Amino acid sequence: MTDMIDIKPVVADYDSMIKPDKVHSSLYSNPEIYEEELDKIFNNTWVWVGHESEVPDVGSYKTAMIGRHSVIVSRDRKKNLHVLLNRCRHRAATVCEGKKGKTKSFMCPYHGWGYSLDGALRAVPKPEEYEGVFDKSEYPLVSLRFETYQGLIFATFKEDLEPLEDFLGGAKKWIDLFIKQGGGYPLKVLGDHRFRFPGNWKIQLENTTDAYHFPIVHKSFVSSVDDQTAEVFDFLDGEGFVEDLGNGHSVMVMIPELVDLEEDLDAPIPERFQALAEELAAEGHSDLEVRRLVRAVGGSGFNLNLFPNVACSMAFFRTLVPISVNETEIHHVALGGEGAPAAFNQMRIRLHEHFQGPMGFGTPDDAEAWERVQKGSHAGTEEWILLNRGQENLSTSPDGNVAGAVCSETGMRAAYQQWKKMMTA
Amino acid sequence: MSDLNLLNRVRAFIDTEADMLDFEEYNAWLDLWTDNGVYVVPIDPKETDFANTLNYAYDKAEMRKLRVARLQSGEAVSTQTTEKTVRQLGRFRILAESDTHVEVRCSMYLSECRHGNLKTYPADVTYKLLKADDEFRIDEKVIRLQNSDAYLSSIGYIL
């Protein structure tokens, strides 16, 4: 009973709720903790808002969420990026609806205040009533600090936060590897699957670094692929590993031979990509280019989990949007190569559809498990979520990081230590 | 009168397909298709280039077979918790007819019951049907869910 904690007032006692080997169940279900997470985590760190290829042209925009804040990522007339709060400076109405598109300006639907792509307030109806009240230059859309790394755009509310590259730290090496899956072409977003599940956002955060569930939850997916591919996905007893990269980030290498997609280009072409290789060759692509494309088409052999809201997950970006303490929206963002052969991008899209999204052969089973986690976590008054797998089987990686077996819970422990650090700061 | 006759035959065919899906007669459903038929659930309801676009589902014959096998295998936990679907198709309209094909649009209201929760998916559905003797075969079925461009939940059955 030494582990029993008083739920009220919990919001200050995180030290007792995050142990090195377990976390308290109320982290999934206490609405006060959830509200504090939005303040202390999502308002205080680098949050992924998109990829540069989603806003390629002058006038391109997309919307995103940073915790409870709706934001617009836009590209202005000089091709500069902006991350803007999606609220009119007058009475707060959103000035942009929808997921993405192209526009010349952002117009508030309520009183017609018009903003340019860089957020500047350009026009207000009845300007004479504001004479002597304010100058338009005082009321642009609120602009957030943002930085990019390899095309990934992160924004923050915190002006004095460390530079993005320092925050990413050991994760940068893995982002560099991840973007090679354009097959020699710049990485490009090809669309996304969006779905919600009735569970806390951290359940999804954990899942991206959870290899242990794969053969159980995804049995039906493995049954749907050829024997050679099934063997590739049978990685729990392999040479993979999980590495704590610091700042809550971790990498889970499931298929070590697919870490660097520009290596081993002379490896035999897998059976399932043979037809693609023949199609590309028939189109006149050189043998080297065919091999580069085929090797990249299935994605990387690892999941890079970036705290708190995005993962570079094998072949796609996974981002999570907390909706409430017990509801989360997930986006599975499909990737391809800008200017790459159509057959390559088509194959990547088909592979994404096969596993991901609400009608995929994988995601719905994940979502079922997560829903059951949320439901089950309400049972009991002093129960815990275990994070202790592999904690006695750790080593130091060549990069000097704590590492465990591929099915260890090393990545989850890393994320929760960062969670505790931020919640107790 | 010939148009009404065609409309009735098309409705009878599509109602039978709906009944097969609600009552999980998936193998019979597979036989309703042409060899090159495509089953599509797009994300953007305005999209027409399905092959080069991300969809929720884009199933040619092999993927349809695999989807059915997954539903029947008992291996996928998400397919075990949807107790039953009930779908109603209506508002049928023949959009085009040629010697070989009929193109039809209709509405669909589908309800699912998952973990005891009732949820509804309204959709516009278009069919390209191949005329085959006195019957039809599905050459293309496109299900445009009303909320496809927002977010969905797990769908553990065939729309």
Side-chain angles (χ1 to χ4, degrees), chain A residues 85-145:
Chain A
L85 269 195
N86 187 10
R87 64 171 283 167
C88 180
R89 293 299 299 275
H90 175 216
R91 300 285 274 277
T94 57
V95 297
C96 182
E97 288 291 315
K99 293 193 285 195
K100 61 178 181 174
K102 281 186 97 164
T103 187
K104 289 182 174 160
S105 62
F106 301 110
M107 173 77 83
C108 177
Y110 196 3
H111 301 98
W113 285 30
Y115 300 88
S116 57
L117 293 162
D118 62 2
L121 177 59
R122 289 295 183 208
V124 296
K126 302 285 288 176
E128 65 273 18
E129 293 297 319
Y130 284 113
E131 270 177 31
V133 180
F134 69 73
D135 186 90
K136 288 201 293 288
S137 65
E138 295 171 45
Y139 287 101
L141 295 175
V142 173
S143 185
L144 297 191
R145 182 182 165 202

Side-chain angles (χ1 to χ4, degrees), chain A residues 34-44 68-69:
Chain A
Y34 173 78
E35 290 300 325
E36 194 165 23
E37 285 172 335
L38 296 182
D39 292 332
K40 288 197 164 176
I41 294 174
F42 286 87
N43 285 358
N44 271 304
R68 58 173 80 86
H69 313 280

Side-chain angles (χ1 to χ4, degrees), chain A residues 193 223 350 353 365 368, chain B residues 51 55 70 75 78 114-115:
Chain A
H193 285 140
S223 294
R350 298 289 92 83
E353 289 163 351
D365 298 320
E368 175 74 23
Chain B
N55 306 283
R70 179 171 176 270
E75 292 177 343
S78 63
R114 189 164 161 273
H115 288 301

Side-chain angles (χ1 to χ4, degrees), chain A residues 99 191-196 219-220 223-224 329 346 349-350 352-353 358-359 361 364-365 367-368 371, chain B residues 43 50-56 58 66-67 70 75-78 81 114-115 149-155:
Chain A
K99 293 193 285 195
D192 64 8
H193 285 140
R194 299 183 173 206
F195 67 99
R196 290 188 180 187
K219 196 164 190 292
S220 79
S223 294
S224 76
E329 185 169 311
Q346 270 190 22
I349 288 170
R350 298 289 92 83
H352 191 90
E353 289 163 351
M359 293 189 74
F361 287 21
D365 298 320
E368 175 74 23
E371 180 172 350
Chain B
I43 297 171
F50 307 123
N52 288 299
T53 312
L54 184 71
N55 306 283
Y56 290 114
Y58 179 89
L66 290 172
R67 192 176 291 280
R70 179 171 176 270
E75 292 177 343
V77 64
S78 63
T81 51
R114 189 164 161 273
H115 288 301
D149 208 22
Y151 60 87
L152 305 180
S153 302
S154 295
I155 292 177

Side-chain angles (χ1 to χ4, degrees), chain A residues 7-151:
Chain A
I7 299 286
K8 288 183 185 170
V10 267
V11 186
D13 194 18
Y14 295 122
D15 276 334
S16 67
M17 302 171 75
I18 309 286
K19 306 286 188 190
D21 60 343
K22 59 186 177 180
V23 297
H24 195 263
S25 296
S26 58
L27 261 65
Y28 289 161
S29 53
N30 185 319
E32 291 176 60
I33 294 176
Y34 173 78
E35 290 300 325
E36 194 165 23
E37 285 172 335
L38 296 182
D39 292 332
K40 288 197 164 176
I41 294 174
F42 286 87
N43 285 358
N44 271 304
T45 191
W46 289 109
V47 175
W48 188 84
V49 292
H51 184 262
E52 286 196 48
S53 67
E54 294 180 274
V55 282
D57 306 317
V58 168
S60 297
Y61 69 86
K62 70 163 285 191
T63 52
M65 296 296 290
I66 300 179
R68 58 173 80 86
H69 313 280
S70 173
V71 301
I72 308 164
V73 183
S74 67
R75 199 177 283 277
D76 71 18
R77 294 159 69 98
K78 295 176 183 165
K79 296 210 87 176
N80 293 318
L81 282 175
H82 299 271
V83 180
L84 307 164
L85 269 195
N86 187 10
R87 64 171 283 167
C88 180
R89 293 299 299 275
H90 175 216
R91 300 285 274 277
T94 57
V95 297
C96 182
E97 288 291 315
K99 293 193 285 195
K100 61 178 181 174
K102 281 186 97 164
T103 187
K104 289 182 174 160
S105 62
F106 301 110
M107 173 77 83
C108 177
Y110 196 3
H111 301 98
W113 285 30
Y115 300 88
S116 57
L117 293 162
D118 62 2
L121 177 59
R122 289 295 183 208
V124 296
K126 302 285 288 176
E128 65 273 18
E129 293 297 319
Y130 284 113
E131 270 177 31
V133 180
F134 69 73
D135 186 90
K136 288 201 293 288
S137 65
E138 295 171 45
Y139 287 101
L141 295 175
V142 173
S143 185
L144 297 191
R145 182 182 165 202
F146 74 92
E147 291 179 18
T148 66
Y149 183 75
Q150 295 280 29

Side-chain angles (χ1 to χ4, degrees), chain A residues 1 70 87 92 104 113-114 130 169 171 177 180 227 298 317 383 425:
Chain A
M1 297 301 283
S70 173
R87 64 171 283 167
K104 289 182 174 160
W113 285 30
Y130 284 113
L177 288 164
K180 291 185 179 185
D227 291 348
F317 292 133
E383 299 301 323

Side-chain angles (χ1 to χ4, degrees), chain A residues 7 28 67 95 143 163-164 192 265 282 314 328 332 356 380:
Chain A
I7 299 286
Y28 289 161
V95 297
S143 185
L164 175 65
D192 64 8
L265 291 180
M314 295 194 84
T328 305
H332 285 164
Q356 313 301 339

Side-chain angles (χ1 to χ4, degrees), chain A residues 311-356:
Chain A
C312 299
S313 182
M314 295 194 84
F316 65 101
F317 292 133
R318 184 274 299 148
T319 184
L320 60 84
V321 183
I323 303 298
S324 70
V325 66
N326 53 16
E327 187 172 26
T328 305
E329 185 169 311
I330 309 295
H331 303 170
H332 285 164
V333 183
L335 302 170
E338 172 73 51
F344 171 81
N345 282 339
Q346 270 190 22
M347 175 62 86
R348 288 191 59 97
I349 288 170
R350 298 289 92 83
L351 293 173
H352 191 90
E353 289 163 351
H354 189 162
F355 191 98
Q356 313 301 339

